[in-house]
Amino acid sequence: MKKSLLISATLATALLPFSGCNPPGQKSAGETKTASAGTPAARTYVAPGDKDEYYLFYSGGHSGQVYVAGIPSMRHISTIPVFAPYPATGYGFDEESKKMLGDYSWGDVHHPGLSKKDGVYDGRFLFVNDNANNRVARISLSDFKTHQILGPIPNSSGNHGSSFVTDNTEYVLVASRFSVPLPKGRYADPKDYEKEFNGMLSGIKVDPQSGEMSVGWQILTPPFDWDLGSTGKGPSEGWAFWTSYNTEMAHETLEATSTQGERDYAAVVNWRAAEAAVKEGKATMLDGVPVIDPAKVPGVLYFMPVPKSPHGIDTDPSGRWIAAGGKLQPVASVFDFEKIMAAIAKKDFESEFRGVPVIRYESVLEGSVPVGLGPLHTQFDGRGNAYTSLYIESVVAKWKLPPWTAEEKADLNKVILDKIDVHYNIGHLVLGGGDTKKPYGDYLVAMNKLSKGRHLSVGPSQPESSQLIDVTGQKMAMLYEAFTEPEPHFAQIIKADTVNAIEVYPKADNKHPHAVWEAKDTGVVRNGNKVEVKMIAIRSRFIPDRIDTQEGDELTIHITNVEQTTDMIHGIGIIEQNMNVVIDPGETKTLKVTMTKTGVFPFYCTNFCSALHQEMQGYLTVKPAPTAETAAK
Ligand code: RUQ
Ligand code: CUA
């Protein structure tokens, strides 16, 4: 009896991938892919035409972009350009995206953060930070495009400790990695670091309707180098936490000097109190932003000691347990938020630093879990388990969160439940919904810093590796290995059905002032040396397909892709004008070129659109500017 059951289960799994006659995305009854059934190959196999269950948004690091993949297949689906031009979508060439990029042509994306409602992802926005140029960008998940880049943020240098989204997306919270003399632009000698330099914590306000971001307020800090953070939830909602890796306030050879202290500090921030203090006029304006001095406004900031050079600090789904990775100590320190609140209420402080109370370590520490070597980040499955990445050990450690039994407390080795090898040197890890109140609890992606040739050779520049791990069982199981462009720092995993993306821009929603939809409304208008074109792109022509200009003219083209069909994209590339704009169905974009060269410059559709795609072309002519002589004739 038992045997036949087993066989039929295996058979069913084996048959799964081949029931492929459903329309794309529709599964037949019973065909729900689960993390735990079948061989790793069957568990990650998404048949041609079928769709993945989750989106994985992972950071593109210093490529400045965000990559979109599917889980469980780990297939790369799309690249969302954010901080760097990307000719594939024409990003950074049209006027709208050029304006967003401003003076910068790169960024360093580390930590994508999804918007939330009531502590769970709502599928509206993805926020990403730029470590390099102190910016935060907002991607809309209705069209998977970047809609706003805020920054450089005043008084903040090195936007590494973000983007941490509060439970109802009131704020995206940001911490400065580097301390500099403030306001920015002021010179001071790094020798005077302790006195002249400062760090900053920032609340980036998010408009509940539009998602538009603005700098709400800031909290001045000593020149600690702030590292990773997280927002509270449940009982700790309204609070946020960051670690510092340089409480020593070293400003040279940090490798040695910033690692001397046995303890560093974490910042414990009451962001609701910060918001209230600003409303009550307790802040001082600095470079246009209300800045709170925590020595003068008690209750906004506390310091909490954590062991030696911590890195990640993560709040569990219940909001009570806060786990800090201790890079140079083989433990994850678990703090109890209830005890933190009690210590604050009783003013049970061990000291103060520059007017900021330092919470007594022993009174808030629940325990130090001996996870292993090089603990960095922790994620949660919603079933009372935590998963910590161990950089040095190249392992993910699974352990049990408190409450612990007396026996476990006496020997915390007992709460380590499992370890799995990853390849190699894991940085972040992400579990679906792992930073929300309700993690999905099935898949975990280990984002490994080194791939060490576990792929076809591509020369010395090797990719990073991401490994998909099933966390549904007692033991973790390795499912799949994918390779990524540099550099997947952190990622977010969201259920696909929480995201509702459009596939064409409805004509009725196109608010571009120069959008035109019919041939009769297109045309070329000259005004002095300004030439303005209203153009449409439709399979398989540009209307107009001839533009006549003269040397020195400023040419503006407003081009509307009038298609209303899914996946019917057109592009316009102009030969030797360094111009390529791609227009999605129903979209209008504006491009500008100054005519510095004479001649005839063909333009053509860059995005394959039809059997007559090759024929989709036209001519831009540029006559020499009239000289005194030719003008007199
Ligand atoms: S932290 S190097 Cu995300 Cu582990 Cu930036
Ligand atoms: Cu239009 Cu190719």
Side-chain angles (χ1 to χ4, degrees):
M1 184 66 203
K2 247 198 175 142
K3 202 172 174 195
S4 71
L5 256 178
L6 249 178
I7 288 170
S8 61
T10 321
L11 252 181
T13 317
L15 286 171
L16 275 186
F18 302 105
S19 48
C21 31
N22 299 302
Q26 261 172 259
K27 296 193 183 294
S28 59
E31 188 194 338
T32 315
K33 198 172 285 294
T34 60
S36 55
T39 63
R43 285 185 262 171
T44 57
Y45 182 73
V46 176
D50 276 354
K51 292 178 185 175
D52 279 292
E53 194 182 347
Y54 297 99
Y55 286 102
L56 168 67
F57 292 100
Y58 53 98
S59 89
H62 43 292
S63 78
Q65 321 295 41
V66 166
Y67 304 120
V68 186
I71 287 181
S73 75
M74 298 296 277
R75 295 182 295 199
H76 174 261
I77 302 170
S78 170
T79 295
I80 305 174
V82 185
F83 294 116
Y86 189 57
T89 64
Y91 187 77
F93 290 83
D94 62 279
E95 289 301 300
E96 294 83 1
S97 57
K98 253 164 76 181
K99 201 171 146 204
M100 271 198 299
L101 287 172
D103 297 336
Y104 302 95
S105 56
W106 79 293
D108 189 2
V109 177
H110 279 236
H111 311 108
L114 286 161
S115 59
K116 296 178 206 159
K117 189 167 191 299
D118 300 327
V120 295
Y121 301 147
D122 63 4
R124 294 183 69 204
F125 304 116
L126 181 72
F127 299 93
V128 297
N129 65 324
D130 170 14
N131 184 28
N133 303 308
N134 308 313
R135 295 174 296 171
V136 182
R138 187 184 83 251
I139 294 161
S140 168
L141 296 186
S142 74
D143 62 0
F144 283 55
K145 296 217 172 113
T146 305
H147 284 254
Q148 188 190 1
I149 295 177
L150 177 83
I153 302 167
N155 310 318
S156 181
S157 183
N159 176 14
H160 179 261
S162 92
S163 314
F164 305 119
V165 181
T166 57
D167 264 7
N168 286 291
T169 319
E170 297 94 337
Y171 289 95
V172 173
L173 299 174
V174 170
S176 53
R177 172 173 172 193
F178 304 112
S179 295
V180 292
L182 297 177
K184 278 193 245 175
R186 184 170 75 82
Y187 170 80
D189 193 317
K191 279 198 195 110
D192 301 321
Y193 187 80
E194 285 197 38
K195 209 171 89 222
E196 296 288 345
F197 288 48
N198 275 102
M200 197 66 89
L201 306 172
S202 309
I204 306 298
K205 199 161 178 42
V206 181
D207 183 89
Q209 261 72 51
S210 65
E212 195 73 10
M213 301 178 287
S214 55
V215 184
W217 41 259
Q218 295 182 313
I219 303 170
L220 188 75
T221 79
F224 299 160
D225 292 337
W226 295 111
D227 208 340
L228 259 279
S230 66
T231 51
K233 47 181 89 79
S236 54
E237 197 270 336
W239 293 75
F241 315 93
W242 280 275
T243 56
S244 156
Y245 60 94
N246 186 17
T247 308
E248 293 85 348
M249 298 186 286
H251 67 275
E252 52 186 14
T253 56
L254 255 68
E255 191 192 7
T257 44
S258 76
T259 51
Q260 281 164 356
E262 273 314 302
R263 302 267 165 83
D264 278 290
Y265 288 148
V268 176
V269 179
N270 184 341
W271 62 260
R272 284 203 193 281
E275 190 179 46
V278 170
K279 277 207 189 101
E280 289 159 17
K282 292 180 183 160
T284 312
M285 296 304 283
L286 186 67
D287 203 1
V289 181
V291 175
I292 299 164
D293 178 349
K296 294 188 191 135
V297 185
V300 168
L301 176 66
Y302 301 89
F303 294 140
M304 180 172 77
V306 277
K308 227 176 160 77
S309 303
H311 188 54
I313 184 163
D314 298 284
T315 316
D316 91 311
S318 78
R320 178 168 175 192
W321 310 111
I322 299 156
K327 241 163 32 184
L328 298 185
Q329 282 209 330
V331 297
S333 309
V334 184
F335 298 95
D336 181 349
F337 186 74
E338 281 181 14
K339 289 184 185 160
I340 295 175
M341 285 300 96
I344 289 174
K346 280 190 300 204
K347 295 202 179 356
D348 176 20
F349 302 128
E350 61 177 45
S351 60
E352 64 168 45
F353 188 84
R354 295 196 186 171
V356 177
V358 178
I359 296 167
R360 189 180 304 282
Y361 177 67
E362 292 75 17
S363 64
V364 295
L365 182 79
E366 185 67 13
S368 303
V369 181
V371 284
L373 297 179
L376 296 183
H377 302 281
T378 300
Q379 291 267 293
F380 309 93
D381 65 8
R383 296 186 295 269
N385 302 309
Y387 300 79
T388 300
S389 55
L390 303 177
Y391 178 82
I392 298 172
E393 238 180 277
S394 287
V395 147
V396 173
K398 173 182 178 180
W399 51 279
K400 186 176 160 240
L401 284 164
W404 295 314
T405 63
E407 200 188 324
E408 286 167 341
K409 260 193 152 164
D411 177 10
L412 282 175
N413 281 302
K414 295 206 167 97
V415 305
I416 311 283
L417 304 175
D418 189 25
K419 281 192 175 185
I420 189 167
D421 289 331
V422 292
H423 308 88
Y424 298 92
N425 300 88
I426 180 172
H428 280 269
L429 73 182
V430 62
L431 208 145
D435 50 7
T436 70
K437 282 183 178 170
K438 289 186 192 136
Y440 309 132
D442 44 9
Y443 295 108
L444 181 152
V445 175
M447 282 167 279
N448 310 314
K449 296 297 186 191
L450 303 179
S451 56
K452 295 190 194 175
R454 283 170 66 90
H455 41 73
L456 292 177
S457 175
V458 287
S461 262
Q462 302 204 350
E464 273 69 42
S465 104
S466 288
Q467 294 183 306
L468 183 72
I469 297 169
D470 165 14
V471 294
T472 53
Q474 282 284 98
K475 295 253 161 228
M476 293 176 274
M478 181 63 68
L479 295 179
Y480 197 77
E481 180 169 42
F483 300 97
T484 67
E485 298 274 304
E487 175 159 316
H489 289 275
F490 188 45
Q492 296 269 272
I493 296 172
I494 182 172
K495 269 219 158 84
D497 58 16
T498 308
V499 174
N500 278 306
I502 55 164
E503 291 188 352
V504 300
Y505 290 100
K507 184 177 167 181
D509 294 350
N510 184 319
K511 300 281 180 299
H512 194 290
H514 301 289
V516 289
W517 299 90
E518 286 172 54
K520 68 172 176 41
D521 299 319
T522 63
V524 183
V525 177
R526 171 177 287 280
N527 196 341
N529 71 338
K530 292 189 172 31
V531 177
E532 196 163 2
V533 181
K534 289 182 185 171
M535 183 186 271
I536 64 176
I538 184 165
R539 273 164 288 171
S540 300
R541 59 187 294 211
F542 296 107
I543 308 172
D545 60 4
R546 174 160 176 180
I547 302 166
D548 296 314
T549 68
Q550 176 172 292
E551 201 181 352
D553 279 351
E554 278 173 34
L555 172 66
T556 305
I557 302 175
H558 309 289
I559 177 167
T560 303
N561 176 351
V562 303
E563 310 275 0
Q564 291 281 282
T565 311
T566 294
D567 206 13
M568 203 38 71
I569 299 164
H570 298 288
I572 178 169
I574 312 178
I575 302 287
E576 290 181 12
Q577 296 291 343
N578 194 35
M579 181 52 69
N580 172 46
V581 163
V582 177
I583 325 99
D584 286 351
E587 193 178 34
T588 304
K589 282 183 177 172
T590 297
L591 60 99
K592 282 190 175 161
V593 199
T594 301
M595 304 289 87
T596 54
K597 296 184 274 199
T598 60
V600 175
F601 303 93
F603 55 86
Y604 69 101
C605 178
T606 45
N607 206 104
F608 207 100
C609 54
S610 72
L612 297 176
H613 157 78
Q614 197 76 343
E615 282 78 354
M616 192 164 171
Q617 64 180 51
Y619 295 96
L620 164 65
T621 69
V622 190
K623 276 188 189 151
T627 59
E629 213 177 298
T630 55
K633 276 185 197 162

